[in-house]
Amino acid sequence: MKTLTSRHGYSIPCRWDWQGQKQAVIICHGFGSSKDSPMAQAVAAALPGLGIGTVRFDFPAHGESPVWQEGLRVPYCIDDLETVEQAILAQDPGVRISYFSSSFGAYITLLRLARDPRPGAGAFLRAAAVTMPSLVDTWLDSRARRDLDRQGYFVPDYDYVREMRVSRAFLQDLADWDVFARWQPGLARLAMVHGTLDDVVPVEGVRRFARRFGVALTELPQGEHPLMGPGEPEQVLALARAFFQKR
């Protein structure tokens, strides 16, 4: 495992499977997941055979990250993604950087590319949480509000890799960082894949994003949020391979 230092002083744990190939794909995991998720590992295993290296890392407060809710901020996540990019570019300024991003990671990738576009960038987005601000609002039940008042954070009732602590600061970040308000057509080459039965990130919001910004969207008819049902990982990987091989 490779460790980078974030702009905010903490460590960013990485799996570094890029050995100087002409294209490096940065794998961005979803909320409550990690760089070692089954899909992240599958992508990291599938692309080297195409001459494409991969780098996967943990967002703050995820996986093996040493920080908790104080580091779970939208700008920090964007900064960490840029730190990973810069570490790759420091080794080879001519490398083509692309992204395979899931759910919350797709949300962060879009915000990063909107903040500082990379010429020629391409991002393959799986179960993209383009409506992330409104999704988190659904977590704010009476227990969550009570915990926010009592301890400054609440823990969503999901089976995440580690305890996820959502602070008021993170909730405000989500309100301030709306993908629909910040994205513009042409900022990057995008492709999306989404399950029509996704009850975590309902497909209607993703369809709206795809229509507004002219993004190719593939829907898997029986797909739920993880897209790990029978045959679905293979379909996702096939779409991703085709996307990354196309310039």
Side-chain angles (χ1 to χ4, degrees), residues 34-235:
S34 81
K35 65 185 180 309
D36 296 317
S37 72
M39 181 54 75
Q41 293 186 58
V43 175
L47 295 184
L50 305 177
I52 301 171
T54 64
V55 175
R56 44 197 167 114
F57 70 102
D58 286 324
F59 283 119
H62 289 75
E64 297 178 285
S65 170
V67 297
W68 288 86
Q69 70 273 13
E70 71 279 2
L72 184 54
R73 304 291 307 273
V74 169
Y76 288 21
C77 293
I78 298 171
D79 288 347
D80 286 3
L81 177 51
E82 290 187 342
T83 296
V84 174
E85 293 173 9
Q86 290 163 2
I88 295 170
L89 292 169
Q91 293 187 35
D92 181 1
V95 68
R96 181 157 60 105
I97 294 178
S98 304
Y99 311 83
F100 180 101
S101 303
S102 298
S103 196
F104 174 71
Y107 166 74
I108 294 297
T109 299
L110 290 169
L111 292 174
R112 178 264 169 275
L113 292 171
R115 185 172 79 173
D116 183 18
R118 287 186 52 80
F124 184 85
L125 309 178
R126 164 182 169 261
V130 292
T131 53
M132 188 74 190
S134 60
L135 297 178
V136 175
D137 279 347
T138 66
W139 300 347
L140 284 171
D141 57 16
S142 58
R143 178 192 62 81
R145 294 179 188 280
R146 184 171 62 250
D147 288 348
L148 275 173
D149 291 338
R150 180 172 57 86
Q151 61 191 14
Y153 67 85
F154 72 93
V155 178
D157 187 21
Y158 286 96
D159 186 20
Y160 291 130
V161 172
R162 64 184 263 189
E163 181 178 270
M164 297 303 301
R165 300 175 181 177
V166 175
S167 67
R168 290 189 185 279
F170 182 64
L171 293 174
Q172 185 59 53
D173 286 346
L174 294 175
D176 293 341
W177 291 82
D178 182 351
V179 167
F180 281 87
R182 292 172 181 263
W183 190 255
Q184 296 178 28
L187 287 177
R189 185 172 66 95
L190 303 179
M192 308 176 83
V193 60
H194 211 92
T196 58
L197 301 184
D198 190 333
D199 61 357
V200 176
V201 182
V203 70
E204 288 77 12
V206 179
R207 289 171 178 161
R208 181 161 52 92
F209 182 91
R211 285 195 302 268
R212 180 180 298 185
F213 299 111
V215 181
L217 168 63
T218 300
E219 296 184 23
L220 302 189
Q222 301 302 313
E224 299 180 357
H225 187 61
L227 290 178
M228 295 297 285
E232 290 171 357
E234 292 80 6
Q235 293 179 71

